[in-house]
Amino acid sequence: FAKEKGRNNGQVYDPAIHYNEREHQILLELKQAIKREEFTLYFQPLVTEGTFEVNKAETLLRWNSEQLGHVSPAEFIPVAEKYGLIVDITEWVICSAFQQLNEWDKAHYIIQSLSINISSVHFQYGDVSHMMEKLATQFDIDPTRIEIEITETSVMKNIDEAVQALHKLRALGFRVALDDFGTGLSSLNYLQQLPIDNLKIDRSFVQHIDQDNKKQVIVETIIRLAQHLGAEVTVEGVETKQEVDFLQASGCNYLQGYYFSKPLPVKELMDRYQAKGLV
Ligand code: C2E
Ligand code: CA
Ligand code: CA
Ligand code: CA
């Protein structure tokens, strides 16, 4: 009797129900988001170690929902993954990113390569490589200019499918980056099986690295590991000059973070980084 009462009269506070309400709302609105043109892409520049040149950027999705306002990708991407909407969203992101790069090429803009986040859940739903190949041809983009970012955690959840899908993409010429590296507990055995062009060291290892000997050792070790794997290294979430100064001598290839620039909409990016390509 008590259970039934709790379920039906709506007076018992149940955080799970409230959570699901939000998820439900996000799901409903997300289904309309592409059609309503509520998505935009932001781009965060990556700078080369040493000379701080900008020739590469990470593509980051933004959603301004008519009903819900701005919703963070950290919140809506998991919902999209859970209900299969991720396939259409990823296709929108890839298509828009390629189109943007194509426009930049025509304008001789400084960005030569883009990285794009892809949820490895996507691999269960369909063949990403076919779609990417088709769109690359359509927008005249050489696949070697595109880096696919997959989080270490999601790869480890789904290792066999991920290994297969990433090899297929690699065979087409696309590059592969392992995102949030250091947080996903990958075994060295799996790392060996994955085709990796870039290891992106998670921000948690970078914060105050100049003052933290343990983080220094971890980052140095990851960089050495990457070199053995023949991969580049990007350090994410660089926020202070002290962090930059420390990382300059570390042997990483790219630095990314608020110290250099937040993710920017196209117009701001182009206002800020003109042809000279320097910060
Ligand atoms: P991520 O791929 O690890 O992206 C980096 C996140 O860190 C971005 O958050 C970026 O704005 C933020 N960031 C960059 N530099 C700094 C810094 O110096 N300090 C701090 N505190 N943060 C920094 P954002 O844009 O909110 O994205 C969150 C996550 O959502 C991304 O994490 C990625 O996993 C996911 N995401 C974003 N766009 C897409 C997409 O198009 N597709 C998929 N599947 N996932 C996406
Ligand atoms: Ca990323
Ligand atoms: Ca990351
Ligand atoms: Ca992340």
Side-chain angles (χ1 to χ4, degrees):
F1 176 70
K3 195 174 152 199
E4 196 163 79
K5 190 178 163 196
R7 195 193 295 151
N8 291 332
N9 69 6
Q11 285 168 15
V12 176
Y13 178 78
D14 181 345
I17 288 174
H18 286 259
Y19 171 76
N20 286 333
E21 254 169 41
R22 170 79 176 164
E23 185 178 290
H24 184 68
Q25 273 183 320
I26 287 176
L27 178 60
L28 281 182
E29 298 306 319
L30 211 46
K31 284 181 177 164
Q32 310 296 321
I34 292 178
K35 203 171 60 205
R36 290 185 188 153
E37 301 185 2
E38 294 175 347
F39 287 134
T40 43
L41 293 183
Y42 275 39
F43 298 91
Q44 185 176 32
L46 276 71
V47 305
T48 57
E49 190 264 359
T51 51
F52 293 166
E53 270 169 84
V54 174
N55 54 30
K56 183 174 181 180
E58 177 171 0
T59 307
L60 292 157
L61 183 57
R62 293 291 176 264
W63 180 28
N64 192 3
S65 157
E66 196 181 291
Q67 297 298 320
L68 304 171
H70 173 79
V71 185
S72 159
E75 189 175 12
F76 72 78
I77 293 287
V79 179
E81 291 175 349
K82 187 169 166 187
Y83 297 98
L85 301 177
I86 193 68
V87 175
D88 286 348
I89 293 175
T90 305
E91 186 165 6
W92 185 89
V93 169
I94 292 169
C95 185
S96 309
F98 286 8
Q99 188 173 15
Q100 185 60 65
L101 194 54
N102 179 284
E103 278 175 34
W104 280 336
D105 285 350
K106 287 181 193 147
H108 303 286
Y109 191 56
I110 52 167
I111 300 294
Q112 295 304 307
S113 65
L114 281 180
S115 70
I116 302 176
N117 293 287
I118 296 203
S119 162
S120 81
V121 174
H122 197 134
F123 300 149
Q124 298 167 15
Y125 291 109
D127 190 352
V128 197
S129 61
H130 180 71
M131 183 236 295
M132 290 193 69
E133 188 182 22
K134 197 187 87 198
L135 291 172
T137 306
Q138 184 183 334
F139 291 105
D140 197 20
I141 303 295
D142 184 337
T144 58
R145 301 172 63 196
I146 303 297
E147 198 165 273
I148 295 146
E149 296 197 8
I150 312 272
T151 65
E152 187 191 19
T153 310
S154 76
V155 165
M156 291 306 136
K157 274 189 203 147
N158 207 349
I159 184 79
D160 294 333
E161 246 162 356
V163 168
Q164 215 191 349
L166 294 177
H167 275 287
K168 217 164 159 182
L169 286 161
R170 196 59 154 4
L172 293 169
F174 295 102
R175 287 168 49 97
V176 175
L178 205 52
D179 202 359
D180 299 352
F181 188 74
T183 63
L185 303 169
S186 36
S187 79
L188 294 175
N189 187 35
Y190 285 140
L191 270 185
Q192 234 178 2
Q193 293 179 38
L194 287 167
I196 302 169
D197 300 288
N198 191 352
L199 279 185
K200 298 196 75 175
I201 302 181
D202 191 69
R203 184 175 100 84
S204 54
F205 299 105
V206 178
Q207 250 181 324
H208 309 302
I209 188 170
D210 50 296
Q211 301 159 35
D212 187 331
N213 189 254
K214 279 187 193 148
K215 287 183 183 178
Q216 293 172 11
V217 172
I218 292 171
V219 167
E220 278 163 17
T221 306
I222 296 175
I223 290 172
R224 223 172 313 141
L225 173 68
Q227 286 165 349
H228 281 294
L229 294 169
E232 292 185 332
V233 176
T234 301
V235 184
E236 295 193 283
V238 181
E239 292 184 352
T240 68
K241 182 166 190 312
Q242 288 83 348
E243 290 162 4
V244 173
D245 288 344
F246 179 82
L247 290 161
Q248 275 288 40
S250 68
C252 66
N253 303 89
Y254 287 96
L255 305 171
Q256 178 181 8
Y258 294 168
Y259 176 77
F260 297 101
S261 171
K262 292 194 170 187
L264 300 170
V266 172
K267 190 182 175 310
E268 279 176 48
L269 183 86
M270 294 185 76
D271 284 347
R272 189 164 161 185
Y273 298 93
Q274 285 158 10
K276 59 181 167 28
L278 295 169
V279 182

